[in-house]
Structures are given as C-alpha cells and as structure tokens.
Amino acid sequence: MSDLSLSPPGRRKPSALGVHPFRAMKRLLPRGLFWRSLIIIVAPVVLLQGFMSYFFFERHLEITTERMATDVAADVAFLINLEDTSPAADRPILRGKAQKMLRYKITFSPGKTLPPPARGSQSTIEDALELVIAQQLGEKRHYDVGRIGSDLITINVEVHDGVLSLVVPRDRVTVSSPDIFILWMFGSSLVLMGIAVVFLRNQVRPIERLARAAESFGKGRAVPDFKPYGAAEVR
C-alpha cells in the first residue's frame, strides 16, 4: 500500500526545513506577564534611542562638523591669499591681527616646504581644506593636518615663500562634547524605565496572585485568604 498523505487538500504540509520563524521567536520570549510587558515598554524606547543616536551622530553631527570645517578652511584660504599678495613688511602685522580676530595661533616658517600629502582616508577638515583651497585659490597646495592633544588641531599650509602654521581650537572645527547629549538621553531613559518598572510591577502583582489562586482552586484546594485587588478587571 502506497504512503498517501492524509492531510486535507489545500492545507500545506509542515516545512521540513524547520519551524515557523514566528514560532521560534515566541520560544525565545519570556513566559511571565511581567517580563513580556516590560519588553513592550523597553523595546520601543531602545529602538527610538538607537534611531536618535544614529540620526544625531551620522547626520546632524556630520553635517555640522562639515560646515564648521569649511569655515575654518575658508579662513585658511584667506590667510594664504594675504601671504601671497601682501608685501613682506606688512605680513607680520596682518598675522597678528588675524590671530586676535580668528583665535588661531599663527606662525610662519620662511623657506620651508611640505611634502605632497598622502591622500588616504581623509578627515573632514582635510576634505574641506582641499575643496575650499582649490575653489578660492585655483591651485593645489601642499598641506597637512595634525593634532595636539585632544583640544587643538594643527594646519600647516605651504605658501609661496614658506609654510604657514595654524593652531586651531577643536571647538572651531567640530561640535564639542557630543557625548553629553548621549549621556543625558540614555540617563533620562533609564530613569523613565525605572519608574515604568515600579508601576508595572504593582499592576502585574495582583494578576500573578489571582493566577496562583485560580490554580489552587482548580486543583481543589481552598483559598481562604485570597482577596482580589488592583485594576478593576482583576477585581
């Protein structure tokens, strides 16, 4: 006798590759009402915080840093133009005025040259320098960008008779202390979730007590000390 399927027509056979993905997901979920309710509260908060963090760091912070770096690059291009077009006797006075107005430490090394920069993975300020210098001066300039500690950025640019060196505060190039925003965001979320856990615990406890009483009653045991309390549906 051949092995015929006894399943009604139109009904699919269970997949031989495994269980349904949603069923597998249900097995991973906790069985208790409290933990399932907590996941319903925590999951949207975590997704929202993740989205906000991505939007802040990948979009807002990147765009803001790019604009600030472009402003610094424009200042550098202006100083290069002064060095190339001003008389040699006037340049020290102009550097002093620019240093006070721009809050940059400016030094000049006569006769010095810079090697061609290696164009690997460039930073935001390097990309802005290359774009602005090429647009405003119409030619490629040798330059390099470095750091002094965590608060200062050095920019060395080659001019026609030497190298112009600038020390720029980091807060002129990028947003300062973006981690404070993340700390405030996650700190407030933890406080709100802690308050939600306390209130959720108080709401779930009467249901758990009712479930234990119902189980005892179903097994034929007396439940003399049970008194429903909590939400109206439980009472």
Side-chain angles (χ1 to χ4, degrees):
M1 182 176 180
S2 61
D3 186 12
L4 299 177
S5 174
L6 299 179
S7 59
R11 179 179 296 178
R12 295 181 179 179
K13 295 182 180 181
S15 175
L17 299 178
V19 297
H20 196 275
F22 289 105
R23 292 182 180 177
M25 187 180 300
K26 288 181 179 179
R27 294 178 182 177
L28 299 177
L29 292 176
R31 298 179 62 86
L33 176 63
F34 173 76
W35 293 108
R36 289 195 174 192
S37 302
L38 188 61
I39 289 177
I40 294 174
I41 295 176
V42 172
V45 174
V46 172
L47 292 175
L48 179 62
Q49 299 290 4
F51 175 78
M52 291 180 62
S53 301
Y54 171 80
F55 179 79
F56 178 77
F57 278 104
E58 296 296 329
R59 302 301 306 160
H60 173 72
L61 187 61
E62 180 181 352
I63 293 173
T64 303
T65 301
E66 183 178 350
R67 291 177 179 175
M68 296 174 69
T70 302
D71 292 339
V72 173
D75 295 338
V76 175
F78 174 72
L79 293 173
I80 293 174
N81 190 33
L82 287 180
E83 292 290 333
D84 289 344
T85 59
S86 301
D90 296 339
R91 278 185 277 170
I93 300 175
L94 295 175
R95 289 190 208 112
K97 291 182 179 180
Q99 183 169 274
K100 292 181 180 179
M101 296 177 64
L102 299 176
R103 293 193 300 119
Y104 302 158
K105 182 180 179 182
I106 304 174
T107 56
F108 177 69
S109 302
K112 188 178 179 181
T113 59
L114 291 175
R119 290 294 176 259
S121 57
Q122 297 191 139
S123 63
T124 305
I125 182 63
E126 289 175 321
D127 290 335
L129 276 173
E130 183 173 4
L131 178 62
V132 173
I133 291 176
Q135 287 179 347
Q136 297 193 9
L137 303 180
E139 59 180 344
K140 299 291 184 180
R141 297 284 180 134
H142 292 177
Y143 63 87
D144 62 62
V145 179
R147 288 182 178 271
I148 301 177
S150 59
D151 297 327
L152 298 175
I153 294 176
T154 60
I155 302 174
N156 301 314
V157 185
E158 187 175 301
V159 294
H160 73 285
D161 58 349
V163 172
L164 190 66
S165 301
L166 294 86
V167 178
V168 181
R170 183 177 177 271
D171 58 3
R172 295 291 302 273
V173 179
T174 185
V175 179
S176 61
S177 303
D179 298 338
I180 296 178
F181 171 78
I182 299 298
L183 291 177
W184 272 104
M185 186 172 62
F186 281 99
S188 60
S189 299
L190 290 176
V191 173
L192 292 176
M193 284 191 291
I195 296 174
V197 167
V198 173
F199 280 95
L200 184 62
R201 180 76 268 179
N202 293 332
Q203 296 300 317
V204 172
R205 188 178 288 112
I207 302 176
E208 293 176 342
R209 193 164 181 263
L210 176 62
R212 289 193 296 268
E215 183 180 7
S216 298
F217 183 79
K219 293 179 180 179
R221 302 172 185 171
V223 191
D225 58 343
F226 175 73
K227 182 180 179 181
Y229 69 98
E233 290 80 3
V234 178
R235 297 196 301 271

